[in-house]
Amino acid sequence: MSRRLARFALSLYRWGGVALYPIVSPYLTFRAAKGKEDRSRRRERYGYASVARPPGPLVWFHAASVGETNAVIPLIKEVRRRGIAVLLTTGTITSAKVVRGRLGTDVIHQYVPLDLKPAISRFLEYWHPDLAIMAESEIWPMTILELGKRHIPQVLVNGRISDRSFPRWKRRHAIADAIFENFALVIAQSELDADRFRTLGALPVLVSGNLKVDTDAPPADSAVLRSYLDQIQGRRTWAAISTFEGEEAAAGDVHRVLKERTGLLTIIVPRHPERSDAIADMLEARSLKVARRTRGDALTPQTDIFLGDTIGEMGLYLRMTEIAFVGRSLFAEGGQNPLEPAMLGCAILSGGNVQNFREAYQQLARNGSAKMVRDTEMLAKGVHYLLMNDEMRKQMIEAGQETVQEMRGALRATIKGLEPYINPLTVKARLHPRQTS
């Protein structure tokens, strides 16, 4: 497709909306909530604001879900420290709860509008952001085009392009070029991601490292943690966290194999807590006794599985163990963030499908803090080995914490890259003292 034809297609897309989606690209799709939206705030999806815009300069941050939200929180705090108002949009109820718990009223939260011209235009006309900062892989053509039309600088931070998405964009290079040229700056996680963005037409592109390394470890309520540790009474534990379908069954199988030899308590934390009823039924059908966090169930000597079916308590679950299997890696693809268990003192196990966190896993594995497993049998052997070998477990934990320290620096690099855009807003904010916290 020629560049001229690409621009024509995108102009039609801007005005035609739905009709052109399948023509332009298979991944120019709506932000579908898929049942994860707050029905009382549904109008926000169509660009209708539910709160007033504050006076003065405003930076719009967008983070799709929990991981991206946590990654940009330190960056948001830096912007707020300068007295600049922040509008943060996310796509799920889960991420909205994280925003409320970790940022409170320090930011304005809205659900992100659908990537349709009427919704995006309404959203931008109301909020008038001075700068738009998108996290990781949020490439929404209508949003990007409408921001470009209004000459609002837009920056992609912690940017990455997956192995799956890159060839699709590359096959439609003219369209990619017409979209990516709208970014004032792309700050990529790795050199590989940076090369991919440049290939697709983004300039300039900087490399920062992964912002998720520079976040604080997830918190935990000390009284709740103490209560659970008292109930465990020294039993050996391991956790399967951020699990996807099939991985909870695998964790149950591992428990059944090991419990007689180790007196084991298994902690399972599904990536999507709304699946917890089905997960509990599946485990109980295998004659496993399940205690659920949402029900306040006690952990008795007879408890096999502690199901962590809550939002925002990963810090609690990881502090209850020293061994963590990180999901979306055995029976699903992409992987989940291994940095939080590394920060909190866990030896890490994972399946091999970790493309979205390739660099983090490479560094953790290189330093001896993460081990990869092929299947459920190998996972059981890995868990058993770490349960029985205190010295190896300790070595992996220490290596993980050292690796996290070595990887830090992305926040500093990102702020430096953003300074040409943030510094003028800092000056403007001084004219509006009500913006300061």
Side-chain angles (χ1 to χ4, degrees), residues 356-430:
N356 293 345
F357 293 88
R358 179 188 291 111
E359 186 166 323
Y361 271 105
Q362 285 177 342
Q363 294 192 51
L364 289 167
R366 188 182 305 122
N367 291 350
S369 54
K371 305 290 184 184
M372 316 306 279
V373 299
R374 291 188 303 271
D375 50 31
T376 304
E377 181 181 357
M378 192 172 178
L379 176 60
K381 290 179 179 178
V383 172
H384 184 256
Y385 179 77
L386 290 173
L387 288 170
M388 298 294 105
N389 288 269
D390 296 344
E391 186 58 34
M392 175 55 70
R393 189 172 69 251
K394 180 181 177 183
Q395 289 177 14
M396 290 182 67
I397 289 169
E398 291 176 351
Q401 293 175 328
E402 290 171 3
T403 302
V404 168
Q405 290 302 318
E406 292 169 3
M407 293 173 67
R408 291 190 185 276
L411 178 62
R412 182 172 60 252
T414 300
I415 291 171
K416 183 177 180 181
L418 287 171
E419 280 180 348
Y421 306 97
I422 294 178
N423 287 346
L425 300 182
T426 304
V427 176
K428 286 177 64 177
R430 292 172 183 164

Side-chain angles (χ1 to χ4, degrees), residues 30-50:
F30 298 139
R31 292 183 177 94
K34 297 182 180 178
K36 300 176 186 177
E37 64 183 356
D38 183 342
R39 296 178 68 87
S40 68
R41 295 173 61 184
R42 179 176 290 179
R43 282 170 57 84
E44 293 174 23
R45 295 286 190 180
Y46 299 93
Y48 292 101
S50 60

